[in-house]
Amino acid sequence: MSDLEGFGFVMPHWFYWGWLAVMPLILMALSKRAEKRQGQLAGSYPIMGEVQADEDPIIHHHFQGNAFTRLIDWISDKSGVFVALWTINAVCFYFYEVIMRYFFNMPTIWVHEASYLLLGMQYLLAGAHTLLHGGHVRVDVMYNLLPERGRVGMDIFTSMFFFIFTLALAGTSWTFFQDAYGMHETTVETWGIQYWPVKGMMLFGSILILLAGISKLIKDIALFVRMGEEGAE
């Protein structure tokens, strides 16, 4: 007899991972199709379009980059939109849990675990998108007192701390991933899903953030040089 018998419906692990991979692509394709048919509605959130950055003059004057930075920026933007759509799953999971628990007296053993793992992976995988659109927290006490070129220079200087942290995150994630895969580590809850894909997403997310940081640094340096040339004229 299976350890999971008697718990009602239990989402298979393979279906969980497969659904997370396919579901955002389906919604993004449907959104693109709707945009082609009707045009994007004014004021609606553009699922397939660009998300506007905060009103930061530095962001609006950023050097648009070369083919490499444009590719990285596209990947950063779309990966953030992709994992953002996972939130719909968490809402649906918990809705199912509430119905089963309070109407049928059949609480699940997998909803909470599936949801917090989903949101944990989402946190890191969306980091590149957040960096691209200037959404990370920044202490502005001294930053806003600098002239525009000074702020770009500050961004270049502080990027070295960003890369130290991101490389450390990537190295640690790689170690976690190897250990989880080698030891066939599973979660401690009854659902017992394999941990290595989760920790693999930590590694993948840190690589995305690292690439987004490289793209930003390239654009910052180009903008800093261009501002210097314009100031010298």
Side-chain angles (χ1 to χ4, degrees):
M1 179 177 177
S2 171
D3 293 338
L4 299 182
E5 289 184 16
F7 287 105
F9 171 74
V10 179
M11 179 175 287
H13 298 167
W14 64 266
F15 185 83
Y16 176 73
W17 293 116
W19 182 247
L20 290 186
V22 173
M23 172 264 197
L25 297 177
I26 295 174
L27 292 183
M28 293 167 77
L30 291 175
S31 173
K32 192 68 174 179
R33 183 179 179 183
E35 289 175 11
K36 287 181 178 179
R37 283 186 175 182
Q38 302 175 4
Q40 190 171 316
L41 296 177
S44 64
Y45 183 84
I47 291 180
M48 290 293 293
E50 296 295 325
V51 178
Q52 296 300 315
D54 293 336
E55 291 298 321
D56 186 335
I58 297 297
I59 293 176
H60 288 302
H61 290 107
H62 261 175
F63 169 63
Q64 293 302 309
N66 50 34
F68 171 76
T69 61
R70 287 193 294 272
L71 174 62
I72 297 304
D73 290 350
W74 183 87
I75 294 173
S76 298
D77 185 63
K78 299 308 177 186
S79 64
V81 174
F82 183 93
V83 298
L85 293 170
W86 282 356
T87 307
I88 299 172
N89 290 313
V91 174
C92 293
F93 290 166
Y94 277 115
F95 177 77
Y96 176 78
E97 167 70 18
V98 169
I99 296 297
M100 297 305 294
R101 178 182 294 269
Y102 294 105
F103 288 88
F104 299 97
N105 196 28
M106 294 178 61
T108 68
I109 62 167
W110 59 272
V111 163
H112 177 66
E113 192 171 0
S115 299
Y116 80 69
L117 290 177
L118 179 155
L119 296 173
M121 292 184 291
Q122 187 182 56
Y123 173 78
L124 267 179
L125 291 171
H129 180 278
T130 308
L131 180 64
L132 172 65
H133 295 290
H136 285 290
V137 176
R138 178 174 59 203
V139 179
D140 292 337
V141 176
M142 296 295 297
Y143 188 85
N144 288 337
L145 299 177
L146 297 172
E148 194 165 313
R149 188 167 186 252
R151 278 180 275 171
V152 177
M154 179 66 75
D155 287 339
I156 295 172
F157 173 74
T158 56
S159 66
M160 68 177 179
F161 302 104
F162 164 84
F163 286 116
I164 291 172
F165 168 79
T166 308
L167 288 171
L169 176 63
T172 304
S173 299
W174 171 247
T175 301
F176 287 165
F177 171 74
Q178 282 185 308
D179 292 344
Y181 186 81
M183 297 186 295
H184 304 286
E185 183 182 4
T186 62
T187 57
V188 296
E189 304 293 338
T190 308
W191 195 36
I193 195 168
Q194 288 277 336
Y195 247 149
W196 67 263
V198 178
K199 297 185 177 181
M201 291 299 101
M202 292 174 58
L203 175 61
F204 184 58
S206 62
I207 292 173
L208 287 178
I209 296 172
L210 181 63
L211 290 173
I214 293 173
S215 173
K216 184 177 184 303
L217 179 61
I218 292 172
K219 292 183 290 184
D220 283 342
I221 292 174
L223 179 61
F224 186 82
V225 171
R226 190 179 68 185
M227 285 180 169
E229 293 173 347
E230 290 175 352
E233 292 179 357

